[in-house]
Amino acid sequence: MSTEPKLNAIPRDALKNIKPYEPGKPQEELKRELGIGKSIKLASNENPLGPSRKAASAIRKAIKRLNRYPDPNCFKLKKALSNRLKVREDSILISNGSDEIIVLMLRAFVNEGDEVIVGFPTFLIFEIQSIAQGARVIKVPLRDFRYDVCGMLSSITPKTRVIFLANPDNPTGTYVNKYELDNFIKSVPENIIVYLDEAYFEFAQAEDFPDSLGYLKERSNIIITRTFSKIYGLAGLRVGYGISSPEVIDCLNKVREPFNVNSLAQAGAFAALKDKRYVERTRQLIREEKQFLYEEFNSLALKYIPSATNFILVDTGFDGVLIFKELLKQGVIIRDMKPYKLDTFIRVTVGTKQENKKFIRVFKEVLNKLRSS
Amino acid sequence: MSTEPKLNAIPRDALKNIKPYEPGKPQEELKRELGIGKSIKLASNENPLGPSRKAASAIRKAIKRLNRYPDPNCFKLKKALSNRLKVREDSILISNGSDEIIVLMLRAFVNEGDEVIVGFPTFLIFEIQSIAQGARVIKVPLRDFRYDVCGMLSSITPKTRVIFLANPDNPTGTYVNKYELDNFIKSVPENIIVYLDEAYFEFAQAEDFPDSLGYLKERSNIIITRTFSKIYGLAGLRVGYGISSPEVIDCLNKVREPFNVNSLAQAGAFAALKDKRYVERTRQLIREEKQFLYEEFNSLALKYIPSATNFILVDTGFDGVLIFKELLKQGVIIRDMKPYKLDTFIRVTVGTKQENKKFIRVFKEVLNKLRSS
């Protein structure tokens, strides 16, 4: 009889403090667990239009060569991005989702015991991966749901190596404007990495939204990350990119796995980049439907945070986990905000017209029941 | 006028010692650089049959949902592997190529200054990523092109955290047999991770090739990794997996990115796993064609290392880089072994009958020219 083996290998101390990230519930899981086959998912800020046809067609063509390793340098995609963004090719790194760049950056620049500064609440992976790297995470609370850039600046110590900013932010949907960011960038010592996660920047239409690429001309310490998961509708493919000085990109490449981006992702993203109509259709849908949701929230007398993105943070006035569970029973998947310590809030992704209507109908029922009990 | 920004952010010390990995030359690169459009690639130990039709068809079906994030837990694929391998689902982790598990393991278990033991020459990513993690890498030279497991055991110190073994090995194609590995596993203290990279194990047909899964029943410190890149012909998709104790897998999951495996990879691998005919056809092709290549090398009076894999290490007697370049001009891509300090060797992947014939024809021409000059 074999005895159950115990773990004798000792994990790094840092692992003790990691609470795993909870992603939005996949629809297949809902089917398996609750038997609900027909559901809508407004939980992960995905593009509701399905992938662009041009991307789909490019992917189909690339299948026949899947026995070959991907291009380790993402030559074509990098060149296309370089032309589009007017930045040097060696200023770009393509990644397995833009979140891979968080890890590459930490592995390249952060030592055990170094400090990193994050907002709170914000995208949780900043914190989780920083802890995994052995960093001390300094959390600067948001003020009125916006980054407190002054508070972040005054949290800098000689041990600070990185400041993370999601712009626009997730889960609030707010943004740091041009004037705030200009000042911020100027005030951060150049030995500190400013990590600007711009996963949602294509949705941000305000005139005072900053043009972050401009900072790269004068600073080597800025990393900007973007993704094909949101406006380009390719979350399933895992492809994002980072833009920085060639010196920083070189450091990230040193710790990168040679084949981090799969070939279908490279082909799909390349085609999606050229599908300007798809991007425009998405922008228009989100603009119109966000308005619809705002109006519905107003009519329900609910507080929400005006959003520069494709999702909205709403205060339901009740326990968010309860709302999440009640909506789930009706086949509507959204996110409760408990991991972000916003206990009465939910975050809802802007879906198609039909999806948003269904969400509002079910949400109203749930709210009415709770309000009358 | 803007001055060129300098890098003020300080990379981790470890980065200074990293020499980047040089992957096999992609055929598209050859076309761009030398204008050679018609080439054969025998450089990356890929499956020459193209992807399995069943996998291709499953991938095509999954495209329409690419706007959704992948299943973060790879539920279906993990379940299928669990059934196939008769191991618990929580003993499996699916990854973005099996090499991702090297990084996850290092991040979970290895601190700055810890020691890891590798063979030399072997798969270079073990060393590169260990250096990136800040580990001290102890290299134990192979003996007669085989792992010196006794030498590895006697290199263990109180600081040793990991021992890497590729079995079968790359680039030699040799393997550690059942008796050697049984003894080795028993002799390694259980607080040290034994990392068994079995990327090529499906090609290893010898009776004394070890059944490594058996070790998991008694030891918690073994990590076995396998891949869909080789015998399953899906290198472009990036999907591999690790098998270990649930305790170790739990640690790896803590540092893993939630969406590390893209959805087409999950769908393709799931289908490929069931395509037993494809795997059998591959095995047969490699067996027959390896024999063909052995005979040709014999007739050329060249020393080669009998291989348990789908590639062969050959001593050309001349500078391997020169041979590589000469073959490249004729549209044949192989690998020189300079990064492995085997200066007169090349490594050639077993291709289709036609590819192998072309390689031999061109190789003979190059050799004859060199031998007669």
Side-chain angles (χ1 to χ4, degrees), chain A residues 210-358:
Chain A
D211 167 30
S212 58
L213 291 177
Y215 301 129
L216 298 181
K217 289 186 191 123
E218 291 176 10
R219 304 268 160 163
S220 65
N221 60 326
I222 320 286
I223 299 178
I224 299 159
T225 65
R226 294 179 182 172
T227 181
F228 286 88
S229 298
K230 306 298 179 187
I231 208 157
Y232 290 104
L234 295 172
L237 268 191
R238 313 311 298 127
V239 51
Y241 57 99
I243 319 157
S244 187
S245 57
E247 293 79 8
V248 164
I249 295 296
D250 185 53
C251 292
L252 304 188
N253 269 322
K254 281 194 172 169
V255 297
R256 175 175 73 83
E257 302 278 318
F259 304 108
N260 60 327
V261 184
N262 72 89
S263 12
L264 303 185
Q266 295 186 37
F270 181 81
L273 198 61
K274 298 187 171 174
D275 195 348
K276 294 192 178 172
R277 263 198 66 215
Y278 176 87
V279 170
E280 214 25 75
R281 269 177 62 214
T282 303
R283 260 202 203 103
Q284 194 184 331
L285 175 79
I286 301 303
R287 202 164 40 223
E288 289 171 10
E289 288 300 310
K290 204 154 58 175
Q291 207 51 46
F292 165 75
L293 289 170
Y294 287 165
E295 284 160 21
E296 293 291 333
F297 295 145
N298 283 333
S299 81
L300 287 163
L302 291 179
K303 179 185 166 184
Y304 61 86
I305 318 298
S307 168
T309 67
N310 67 337
F311 57 82
I312 309 173
L313 186 66
V314 194
D315 189 348
T316 67
F318 296 94
D319 177 21
V321 177
L322 178 68
I323 303 274
F324 164 76
K325 284 182 182 164
E326 289 298 319
L327 289 172
L328 204 59
K329 287 184 201 160
Q330 312 279 333
V332 177
I333 314 175
I334 51 97
R335 284 283 261 284
D336 71 80
M337 290 287 109
K338 200 173 171 153
Y340 300 89
K341 304 224 167 110
L342 297 166
D343 289 352
T344 59
F345 285 75
I346 60 169
R347 192 195 68 191
V348 60
T349 304
V350 181
T352 60
K353 192 175 281 297
Q354 204 182 358
E355 288 171 338
N356 300 330
K357 276 188 180 165
K358 177 168 180 186

Side-chain angles (χ1 to χ4, degrees), chain B residues 117-294:
Chain B
I117 298 174
V118 298
F120 189 84
T122 190
F123 187 47
L124 286 172
I125 304 283
F126 299 153
E127 183 185 342
I128 293 171
Q129 290 293 357
S130 295
I131 293 173
Q133 185 67 15
R136 199 169 151 237
V137 179
I138 312 298
K139 295 188 198 183
V140 178
L142 268 58
R143 286 182 156 210
D144 202 18
F145 300 94
R146 300 184 69 239
Y147 269 90
D148 175 10
V149 282
C150 293
M152 292 178 108
L153 283 176
S154 61
S155 301
I156 291 174
T157 78
K159 287 188 150 184
T160 307
R161 304 301 305 266
V162 184
I163 308 178
F164 287 99
L165 272 103
N167 205 31
D169 184 39
N170 173 13
T172 62
T174 62
Y175 66 96
V176 176
N177 68 34
K178 181 179 158 38
Y179 315 102
E180 292 168 321
L181 196 57
D182 282 358
N183 269 323
F184 177 80
I185 298 281
K186 271 181 214 146
S187 311
V188 174
E190 286 198 62
N191 62 337
I192 296 173
I193 300 273
V194 176
Y195 190 98
L196 285 176
D197 181 337
E198 296 192 339
Y200 299 96
F201 101 105
E202 292 94 342
F203 295 106
Q205 305 272 285
E207 282 201 2
D208 64 349
F209 189 84
D211 166 31
S212 58
L213 292 178
Y215 301 130
L216 298 181
K217 289 185 190 122
E218 291 176 10
R219 304 268 160 163
S220 66
N221 61 325
I222 320 286
I223 299 178
I224 299 159
T225 65
R226 294 179 181 170
T227 182
F228 286 87
S229 297
K230 306 296 178 186
I231 207 156
Y232 290 103
L234 295 173
L237 267 191
R238 315 310 298 129
V239 51
Y241 57 99
I243 319 157
S244 187
S245 57
E247 292 80 7
V248 165
I249 294 295
D250 185 53
C251 292
L252 304 188
N253 269 322
K254 281 194 173 170
V255 296
R256 176 175 72 83
E257 301 279 318
F259 303 108
N260 60 327
V261 184
N262 73 88
S263 10
L264 304 184
Q266 295 186 36
F270 181 79
L273 198 60
K274 299 188 170 173
D275 195 348
K276 294 192 179 173
R277 265 198 64 216
Y278 176 87
V279 170
E280 213 26 73
R281 269 177 61 215
T282 303
R283 260 203 204 103
Q284 195 184 330
L285 175 78
I286 301 304
R287 203 164 39 223
E288 289 171 11
E289 288 299 309
K290 204 154 57 175
Q291 206 53 45
F292 165 74
L293 289 169
Y294 287 166

Side-chain angles (χ1 to χ4, degrees), chain A residues 6 12 107 161 220, chain B residues 6 10 12 107 161 220:
Chain A
K6 282 185 313 176
R12 286 176 53 236
R107 292 193 83 210
R161 304 301 305 268
S220 65
Chain B
K6 282 184 313 176
I10 303 153
R12 286 176 51 237
R107 292 193 83 209
R161 304 301 305 266
S220 66

